Amino acid sequence: MLWTLWTLLLALLALLLLQAQLSVCPPVCSSSSYSATRQRLPGAIIIGVRKGGTRALLEMLNLHPDVGVAKTEVHYFNVEEHYRRGLAWYQSKMPFTLPGQLTVEKTPGYFAAPQVPARVRTMNPAVRLLLIVRDPAERLISDYTQVLHNRLTRHKAYQPLEELLLHKGHIDSGYKALQRSLYHQHLARWLEVFPREQIHVVDGDALIRDPFPELRKAETFLELPPRISPDNFYYNTTKGFYCLVSAGHDKCLDESKGRPHAPLSAQTFLKLCHYFRKPNKMFFDMVGRSFSWC
């Protein structure tokens, strides 16, 4: 008798537990369409340019509820040691996202690295690419300024920008920071493996002046519902650029953004602008739009 009663109690308890599970997780939970949060390969990558505003663009896209971003630059496709580790390693560097969310990674070193376009296409031929550009002369100076700051921090010697940029009074085309600003050369390699409509060009100078219009264009390109609004931005007069607002909390980019540029004489700057005229025109023709650059 006691054994029968005990069996009935166990059966009743099992039934109650089953009902509780069903009330928390309806039958749809067990369907193949359901998936918990997990790390996914990126559906979009900010490929460059270095010192063009890639961090600002990533943080602004992160305002969107349907976007998850990799917090650090992964350098998977452009660093051989990383690439040899394989896609599983790359995926492990991505954020945990829900089904339907878009994973975005940014590594500005991708744009100018010759081996990267084909590698990215092998990973995902349908990946969407964002290229943020700014005045190539200003980008070059910002590039040098970052290197200068790093060398000063480590108490290392450095050469003035003028010495690196000029050779016998003329612009030295071999200067690495200058080569990074030859956008048309690097974009040509990407267009060999990706159609033009798969690459969205963001105006980095416009993003600094007025972020919202550029973010709305990026949302459209990424096929995201419009969730970012002008209320997500406010101009910080102390820092001199826009900061972000989300869920009542504000966030400004770190102190390295907006850092004063290293000095360069007006004469050399004019030479630099003249040097970039033809490369800029070639880039404008490739992307089908022009920019207000020097």
Side-chain angles (χ1 to χ4, degrees), residues 42 44-59 61 68-78 90 93-95 103-111 130 132 146 257:
I45 302 176
I46 300 173
I47 58 174
V49 298
R50 173 168 161 164
K51 305 309 296 180
T54 57
R55 171 55 60 182
L57 178 59
L58 186 78
E59 294 292 348
L61 286 174
V69 305
K71 298 301 183 183
T72 59
E73 295 176 7
V74 184
H75 291 277
Y76 173 65
F77 298 102
N78 65 326
Y90 182 48
K93 302 300 179 182
M94 296 301 114
T103 297
V104 181
E105 188 242 323
K106 80 101 176 171
T107 299
Y110 290 161
F111 183 56
L130 295 119
I132 179 168
Q146 177 173 296
K257 309 304 177 184

Side-chain angles (χ1 to χ4, degrees), residues 103-271:
T103 297
V104 181
E105 188 242 323
K106 80 101 176 171
T107 299
Y110 290 161
F111 183 56
Q115 74 275 26
V116 170
R119 289 178 172 182
V120 172
R121 182 175 174 81
T122 298
M123 188 251 329
N124 181 4
V127 69
R128 282 162 284 187
L129 306 170
L130 295 119
L131 172 66
I132 179 168
V133 294
R134 62 186 291 204
D135 185 313
E138 295 289 346
R139 193 221 66 82
L140 182 154
I141 299 171
S142 183
D143 196 332
Y144 169 83
T145 300
Q146 177 173 296
V147 174
L148 172 65
H149 174 78
N150 292 340
R151 294 190 73 83
L152 289 174
T153 301
R154 292 177 290 174
H155 306 288
K156 289 191 173 184
Y158 66 93
Q159 281 183 270
L161 177 56
E162 205 114 0
E163 291 182 10
L164 293 168
L165 193 54
L166 296 178
H167 178 68
K168 297 182 179 179
H170 299 284
I171 297 296
D172 183 0
S173 60
Y175 179 40
K176 201 167 186 178
L178 182 139
Q179 293 174 352
R180 294 191 191 102
S181 282
L182 299 175
Y183 303 150
H184 72 290
Q185 291 184 359
H186 310 305
L187 181 60
R189 288 193 294 268
W190 287 89
L191 292 176
E192 288 176 0
V193 294
F194 286 102
R196 171 67 186 87
E197 59 269 18
Q198 217 164 310
I199 304 174
H200 177 64
V201 179
V202 178
D203 185 339
D205 297 307
L207 189 75
I208 294 170
R209 292 192 305 268
D210 186 10
F212 176 68
E214 289 299 314
L215 264 293
R216 178 51 51 87
K217 294 173 190 174
E219 279 181 322
T220 301
F221 169 72
L222 296 172
E223 299 180 355
L224 294 167
R227 294 290 183 268
I228 301 172
S229 76
D231 293 337
N232 287 122
F233 308 96
Y234 76 94
Y235 188 78
N236 187 307
T237 55
T238 302
K239 291 181 174 291
F241 52 79
Y242 279 88
C243 296
L244 317 181
V245 181
S246 179
H249 301 285
D250 64 339
K251 179 178 182 179
C252 293
L253 298 176
D254 63 43
E255 64 277 1
S256 68
K257 309 304 177 184
R259 183 185 288 141
H261 278 176
L264 185 68
S265 71
Q267 182 181 9
T268 301
F269 186 77
L270 287 175
K271 286 183 179 181

